[in-house]
Amino acid sequence: MTAVKITPLGAGQDVGRSCILVSVGGKNVMLDCGMHMGYNDERRFPDFSYIADGGDLTEHLDCVIISHFHLDHCGALPFMTEMVGYNGPIYMTHPTKAICPILLEDMRKVAVERKGEVNFFTSQMIKDCMKKVTAVNLHQTVHVDSELEIKAYYAGHVLGAAMFLIRAGGTSVLYTGDYNMTPDRHLGAAWIDKCYPDVLITESTYATTIRDSKHCRERDFLKKVHTCIERGGKVLIPVFALGRAQELCILLETYWDRMNLKVPVYFAVGLTEKANNYYKMFITWTNQKIRKTFVHRNMFEFSHIKPFDRAYMDNPGAMVVFATPGMLHAGLSLQIFKKWAPFEQNMLIMPGYCVAGTVGSKILNGAKRVECEGRQVIDVKMSVQYMSFSAHADAKGIMQLIRQCEPQNVVLVHGEDTKMDFLKQKITQEFGIHCYKPANGETITIPTKPKIFIDVALKLLKENLKSTGSSHLHGLLVSKDNTLRLLDPEVATNELGINFHQIRFTSTVTLEDPGTSSQTASRIYRTIKSNLKDYAVQLLTDGSISVDSVLVKVSGCEDDESKSVLVSWGYQDENLGSYLLSLVEGLSS
């Protein structure tokens, strides 16, 4: 019996600062290394002293895996590598490696240049950190060392997001990161094969939510935007730089075309251009429609959506602005909010989840006055709308993933405690498996039974089923190149270059029978012949009887009433040999 140990340093009964320590098959892996958007103190980054208090992180960790480029999953990575000193392997997909440094630098500028924070990582540290990253392809099995391997699967959510399957010591753990089981306007749905992990670690952001249809949500979004601009109001849509931003831009671009609208739509300067470059570079990560259309036109080059200038904030009349960051915790989106919030004709549409402690979270919880940077208090009179375009799996999607991969145990992370309780109960009832929800700093130990996978030759499988009529397989087990194969003995001996020797099993029955050995043999022959009409039963010249490859032979002195009857068979004739033995034993009684 082995065990998997799991300790969240972040995202344990909480959303934000994803960082999960996993010990599997004697290997220690860190899953994500994020920052918490709701804090500006030491709680912002994971507490790495938990891993090695004053010691070397590299000695205690075999690798770090980053699931995607959102800062709550990668924001602490430069701090960990360049300031704490981790120097071991780091893995992420190619798009994640390309986009991570852009978002890290944006976040660094906000923290240092605008807020004046000290003891923060520098631009050079971000570059040095990314040099240590190894980029991986989807479905590529990467051997971290001789005992630890990882494999990435498509997660949807954002460009380059991946779920990771980790195998070590005959035990496996699947970590989802953030994922979406529903395709959208620019990305496909998450996909995983039936990998039967010992433990599935899944996000549970929307543990109690079952979303309405995508079409209804989009229609409602467009209606709200149109109503606001018709009355001359301004619409602020806080977004992450890549992901929902492109999804909603495609939606508005199509609607503006169809309705022939002239109201200006803006996107934060620079980000649109950068986003387009990455979507061009990694077009294979988008959905089928985007890939097919890309041959004729790039759907990320918008004719109605223009770059935003800060001077436009005070422009009169209606407008729609996409601004970062997505939780109103800093940057341009917060500055625009402070300007527009006091006016009733304006509207804020929050298209995704907001971490507790952010301005976005406070407003969504109904706050009419909020304190922002520099203790400035803002009266919120604008209309506040929440519309979940967040690319996370809902409760239905989480259950669907569990059905697809069939884990032995489930661990819930990246969610709220009370919502996790509901989902935990549902998983236990529906699948009959253990479900856990560890808090930050809490270690859970999950016992597992190591599995040994053996490749069985199809020909051998068919022959065994045909000859024995049972599911028992007889063959030669060959271990080669870290794989186990069950082969037909003759095939195996040829492949290994050794002589074939067949082992036969022999049982002896003492038979009280007067007369000669040949008379006893004839009696046994007649009995077998009458009971096995479908078999080739032969009485050989030496007095022995053959039934296919099973041999029955009588031995003993001619005048001795006590005879020995030997029944001999090969491994493929176990059932037939046993049956003939029982026939001979029946004669003795």
Side-chain angles (χ1 to χ4, degrees), residues 42-143:
E42 72 282 351
R43 293 172 294 177
R44 172 170 45 203
F45 295 146
D47 182 3
F48 297 114
S49 66
Y50 187 95
I51 307 168
D53 194 2
D56 186 356
L57 281 185
T58 311
E59 289 179 7
H60 290 79
L61 289 173
D62 291 285
C63 75
V64 173
I65 294 170
I66 303 296
S67 63
H68 64 288
F69 59 66
H70 279 158
L71 293 173
D72 61 328
H73 293 259
C74 72
L77 193 61
F79 176 76
M80 180 188 177
T81 61
E82 307 312 304
M83 300 176 80
V84 180
Y86 174 73
N87 200 33
I90 304 165
Y91 298 96
M92 58 182 76
T93 66
H94 289 274
T96 304
K97 184 178 181 181
I99 297 166
C100 255
I102 309 297
L103 300 188
L104 287 167
E105 179 59 22
D106 278 354
M107 181 261 289
R108 187 202 66 79
K109 282 179 181 175
V110 170
V112 177
E113 296 175 14
R114 293 184 199 160
K115 294 184 181 178
E117 293 187 30
V118 294
N119 195 30
F120 209 85
F121 51 77
T122 64
S123 293
Q124 188 57 48
M125 286 178 181
I126 295 172
K127 292 172 187 171
D128 292 341
C129 168
M130 299 313 294
K131 287 175 186 173
K132 297 171 183 174
V133 171
T134 300
V136 301
N137 297 315
L138 288 176
H139 309 298
Q140 173 192 0
T141 300
V142 177
H143 295 278

Side-chain angles (χ1 to χ4, degrees), residues 234-236 308-315 319 321 328 331-348 359 363 370 372-373 376-382:
K234 295 173 170 60
V235 183
L236 172 61
F308 183 75
D309 188 288
R310 289 174 192 273
Y312 299 167
M313 270 192 257
D314 298 315
N315 282 6
M319 68 175 76
V321 177
L328 287 179
L332 182 60
S333 63
L334 183 58
Q335 289 175 36
I336 297 173
F337 168 75
K338 287 193 282 188
K339 284 264 187 182
W340 294 358
F343 303 100
E344 292 179 4
Q345 74 269 27
N346 297 334
M347 180 180 285
L348 172 79
V359 174
I363 295 164
V370 289
C372 299
E373 300 165 328
Q376 182 182 359
V377 177
I378 304 295
D379 287 319
V380 183
K381 293 182 181 177
M382 72 193 310

Side-chain angles (χ1 to χ4, degrees), residues 13 20 34 55 91 101 120 123 125 128 208 216 228 260 266 303 309 370 379 398 494 499 502 550 557 568:
Q13 299 177 13
I20 319 293
Y91 298 96
F120 209 85
S123 293
M125 286 178 181
D128 292 341
T208 58
C216 289
C228 183
N260 195 27
Y266 298 112
S303 57
D309 188 288
V370 289
D379 287 319
I398 295 167
N494 286 337
N499 293 326
Q502 188 180 67
V550 180
C557 300
S568 174

Side-chain angles (χ1 to χ4, degrees), residues 506-513 515-522 524 542-545 551-567 584:
T506 303
S507 286
T508 306
V509 176
T510 302
L511 192 64
E512 298 298 327
D513 194 41
T516 64
S517 294
S518 59
Q519 289 171 332
T520 302
S522 296
I524 294 172
D542 64 353
S544 58
I545 304 150
L551 197 67
V552 180
K553 186 173 179 63
V554 179
S555 63
C557 300
E558 290 296 322
D559 56 352
D560 192 349
E561 287 191 5
S562 182
K563 309 283 193 309
S564 291
V565 182
L566 285 77
V567 182
V584 175

Side-chain angles (χ1 to χ4, degrees), residues 409-425:
N409 302 273
V410 175
V411 176
L412 303 178
V413 296
H414 200 285
E416 297 169 27
D417 187 16
T418 52
K419 292 180 180 179
M420 284 180 174
D421 283 331
F422 170 82
L423 186 61
K424 178 182 175 183
Q425 186 178 8

